[in-house]
Each structure stands twice: as structure tokens, then as C-alpha cells.
């Protein structure tokens, strides 16, 4: 997508204000300035980031819909795309070594370098495992893989795009209970509280627009007046590329707060966040999803995905305008979340 990013917005505020009353003029000025800069969301840019994308796995490549015998699959298998690569644990559909390749593309967010993103994304199936044949569907840059076991079903959806595309994993249990996912960031990648978002907390930002055919639309899940109320945002980034940014994307899932309490400074909205710097855990409802979004989509002010527990598909939730606020680079140390892991953490 293309949108005007607001970098380092905190610099425009009165850092010395201390009371709500004295901060009001600065907040109003920021709100008016940002509302005037709401960019038009362009669909062409998003699709261009996927040009030439496509996956190969289990000796398959090219558009097809097929089934691979479970007995022929090892304990893990590699999924390779032009822009992303990852390894799948066959019995759990846990993900390891998720990375962006840095392949050339005008919308690349890595600076042209191979970039590890997640060390692992592991579900806890509490003794259940996947044993069936593996269903594989490849269509252009899109991939869907499915596998089942006694009382358990898992699906992975991915788009092979230079800006990270869309990636999600969906668990479904016969007993209807939730699945805990543990996301561990790769070395050099860290979670942070985005100050460009925190600056706007509580403001209602327009999120509507016109489709290429002239049809007026409002972002799915927006307020009745077509706006989105800004809430705090945890992103992840690194110290290598000023375009590399992402966030965990949950649907019908709740983050599990851990013993990593951070005091976040901000001229308008200081606060406290309980989130570690290198790991996050989520309780995902049966039929829900756990994934990530990256690039500008990770810092846009848009509605959360609506709840879905049956036949969910990876798709763009915003069909109109969404303000992209960006993030400061390098990320200031005071908003980087610490410690990296909670006490007693053991990588799955």
C-alpha cells in the first residue's frame, strides 16, 4: 500500500507539558495535522509487493491443489518462497526460522538483506498431534496447507510478498478449547510500544474511502461514523532497516500477560505495558487465528479483524483509507520492551 507515513510525531509535541489541561492544545494541533494528512490507500502497491511470488514445498511448486501422503513427510518440511521462507513441524504445524529473503522488489522492507523475523511460532496442543495426509493448495503467491489428527486440525495461510504479506495459523480442536501459541522473535528483532501510535490514543481517525470503481466504502469494523478509535500498539522492528516493522495479528485470541512490566514515557499518554521484548504468548480460540502483518500495514490506524472461527481467509480488512503513522527509527531505547524473556522462560 502507499500512504504518507508520519515519522517522529512526538517531536511536534510540547514535551514539557505535565497536566491534562496544558497538553490539550498540543493534542488538538496534532489531531488536526494528522487528519489533514490521511492518505489514500492504493491497492496496486500492495499487489506489487507480491510480484513474482510463489511457494515450493514437499517437492511441489506452481499452481495446484493436491494431497501429500503423510507417511512420506519427515518430522519437518521447508516452505520456500521468493520473498519468505519458513520451516514447519509436521506433527504440530509449529513454525520455525521464519525469515524474509530480501529478494529484489521496490516495496522490500529488509534493505535487500536476508532477514530473520521469528525464531519460532509454536502451538501447545497438549498431547494431540497431526497425523493425516497434508492438503496443499498453491495459487500464485498464495499458499494454504492443512493437516488433521485425532481431535485436532491445523491450517496455515501465507502470501509470498516482499513486505511480509499475510501469514496466519489456525487451530481447531474437537473439544473446543483454546490453544496457547508462543511467538519468539529472531535475534536482533524486538517488540516495542510504538510512540507514534501512543501519541494519538483516544482520537477517532477516519478510515473510509473510494474504491477504484467509484464505490464508497467504510473500513470493516470501523465506528458507525467511519472512524477508528486509536489504541496502543505493540510493534516489532530491528536496527538494520528503517522499513522493517511488524506486529502480531490475532483473531479470536487474547494475549497472555507475563511478568515483563514496562513504564512507557510519552508527552501526552505515558503508561504501563506488561509485554516482554522477545516473546509473546496468546490464547487462541478453536477456529481463531494467530499470525502477523508487516510493513506499512503494521502501523496503520485500522479496525481489528472481525471475529471469525469458521472458514477464515487471509485478506485485507481495509478497503479505503487508513492513516499510516510509521515508527521512529532507530527505535528509542525507552520504548523497547524489557526484559527480552520472562522469568523461567524456556523456548519451545
Amino acid at each position: 500500500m502507499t500512504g504518507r507515513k508520519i515519522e517522529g510525531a512526538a517531536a511536534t509535541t510540547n514535551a514539557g507539558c505535565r497536566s491534562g489541561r496544558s497538553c490539550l492544545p498540543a493534542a488538538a494541533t496534532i489531531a488536526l495535522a494528522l487528519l489533514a494528512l490521511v492518505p489514500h490507500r492504493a491497492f496496486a502497491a500492495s499487489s506489487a509487493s507480491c510480484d513474482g511470488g510463489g511457494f515450493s514445498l514437499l517437492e511441489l511448486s506452481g499452481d495446484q491443489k493436491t494431497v501429500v501422503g503423510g507417511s512420506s513427510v519427515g518430522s519437518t518440511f521447508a516452505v520456500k518462497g521468493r520473498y519468505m521462507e519458513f520451516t514447519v513441524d509436521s506433527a504440530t504445524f509449529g513454525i520455525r526460522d521464519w525469515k524474509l529473503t530480501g529478494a529484489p522488489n521496490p516495496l522490500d522492507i529488509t534493505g535487500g538483506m536476508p532477514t530473520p523475523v521469528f525464531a519460532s511460532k509454536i502451538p501447545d496442543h497438549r498431547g494431540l498431534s497431526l497425523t493425516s495426509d497434508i492438503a496443499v493448495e498453491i495459487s500464485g503467491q498464495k499458499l494454504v496447507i492443512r493437516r488433521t489428527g485425532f481431535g485436532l486440525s491445523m491450517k496455515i495461510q501465507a502470501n509470498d510478498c516482499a513486505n511480509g504479506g499475510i501469514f496466519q495459523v489456525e487451530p481447531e480442536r474437537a473439544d473446543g478449547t483454546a490453544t496457547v501459541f508462543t511467538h519468539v522473535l529472531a535475534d536482533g528483532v524486538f517488540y516495542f510500544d510504538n510512540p507514534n501510535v501512543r501519541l494519538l490514543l483516544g482520537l477517532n481517525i477516519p478510515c473510509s474511502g473510494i474504491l477504484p470503481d467509484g464505490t464508497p466504502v467504510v473500513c470493516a469494523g470501523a465506528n458507525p461514523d467511519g472512524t477508528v478509535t486509536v489504541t496502543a500498539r505493540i510493534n516489532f522492528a530491528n536496527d538494520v532497516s528503517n522499513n522493517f516493522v511488524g506486529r502480531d495479528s490475532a483473531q479470536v485470541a487474547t494475549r497472555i500477560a507475563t511478568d515483563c512490566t514496562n513504564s512507557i514515557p510519552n508527552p501526552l499518554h505515558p503508561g504501563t505495558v506488561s509485554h516482554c521484548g522477545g516473546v509473546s504468548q496468546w490464547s487462541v480460540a478453536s477456529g481463531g487465528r494467530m499470525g502477523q502483518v508487516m510493513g506499512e500495514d503494521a502501523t496503520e490506524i485500522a479496525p481489528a479483524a472481525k471475529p471469525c472461527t469458521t472458514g477464515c481467509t487471509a485478506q485485507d480488512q481495509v478497503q479505503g483509507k487508513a492513516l499510516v503513522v510509521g515508527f521512529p527509527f532507530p527505535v528509542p531505547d525507552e520504548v523497547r520492551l524489557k526484559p527480552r524473556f520472562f522469568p523461567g522462560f524456556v523456548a519451545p
Side-chain angles (χ1 to χ4, degrees), residues 60 65-69 133-136:
L60 303 172
K65 189 174 183 178
T66 188
V67 174
V68 177
D133 297 341
I134 299 178
V136 179

Side-chain angles (χ1 to χ4, degrees), residues 8-299:
T12 67
T13 67
N14 177 8
C17 69
R18 290 291 180 268
S19 70
R21 178 175 297 178
S22 63
C23 289
L24 284 176
T29 299
I30 293 167
L32 290 174
L34 290 175
L35 290 176
L37 292 174
V38 173
H40 182 31
R41 184 179 179 88
F43 298 92
S46 181
S47 61
S49 70
C50 310
D51 285 351
F55 289 100
S56 63
L57 67 156
L58 299 171
E59 300 184 358
L60 303 172
S61 62
D63 290 4
Q64 58 185 295
K65 189 174 183 178
T66 188
V67 174
V68 177
S71 61
S72 66
V73 178
S75 60
T76 65
F77 61 91
V79 177
K80 295 184 179 295
R82 174 176 173 81
Y83 302 111
M84 75 168 68
E85 298 178 351
F86 53 93
T87 298
V88 180
D89 289 345
S90 302
T92 67
F93 268 28
I95 306 298
R96 299 187 186 275
D97 301 321
W98 200 102
K99 66 185 68 175
L100 293 171
T101 67
N105 184 290
L107 297 176
D108 165 66
I109 63 173
T110 69
M113 296 178 289
T115 301
V117 181
F118 284 93
S120 61
K121 297 164 162 279
I122 305 299
D124 179 5
H125 294 312
R126 308 193 305 280
L128 300 183
S129 62
L130 304 171
T131 56
S132 73
D133 297 341
I134 299 178
V136 179
E137 183 175 354
I138 305 172
S139 177
Q141 79 276 11
K142 298 180 180 181
L143 171 70
V144 180
I145 54 178
R146 298 179 175 87
R147 196 177 197 190
T148 63
F150 179 77
L152 178 66
S153 174
M154 290 286 287
K155 177 169 69 172
I156 296 172
Q157 297 183 83
N159 288 359
D160 186 28
C161 304
N163 60 1
I166 297 174
F167 183 90
Q168 64 188 45
V169 182
E170 300 176 18
E172 189 167 355
R173 293 178 60 98
D175 62 12
T177 60
T179 299
V180 172
F181 276 71
T182 300
H183 283 190
V184 180
L185 295 176
D187 291 344
V189 184
F190 52 85
Y191 287 111
F192 68 98
D193 186 279
N194 191 332
N196 291 10
V197 178
R198 181 168 288 274
L199 199 66
L200 308 177
L201 291 186
L203 295 181
N204 290 332
I205 305 296
C207 186
S208 60
I210 306 296
L211 294 179
D213 63 3
T215 304
V217 296
V218 173
C219 297
N223 298 327
D225 62 356
T227 64
V228 177
T229 303
V230 181
T231 58
R233 176 76 53 85
I234 301 300
N235 285 117
F236 56 80
N238 62 23
D239 287 317
V240 178
S241 171
N242 61 356
N243 290 318
F244 176 86
V245 65
R247 65 176 174 84
D248 290 325
S249 176
Q251 188 173 28
V252 200
T254 303
R255 189 174 67 81
I256 301 170
T258 52
D259 188 16
C260 293
T261 301
N262 290 259
S263 295
I264 306 298
N266 187 276
L268 300 181
H269 304 287
T272 300
V273 174
S274 181
H275 196 302
C276 302
V279 62
S280 67
Q281 291 186 308
W282 300 79
S283 178
V284 184
S286 180
R289 76 173 190 192
M290 195 62 234
Q292 87 236 18
V293 294
M294 301 189 69
E296 290 188 356
D297 287 357
T299 65

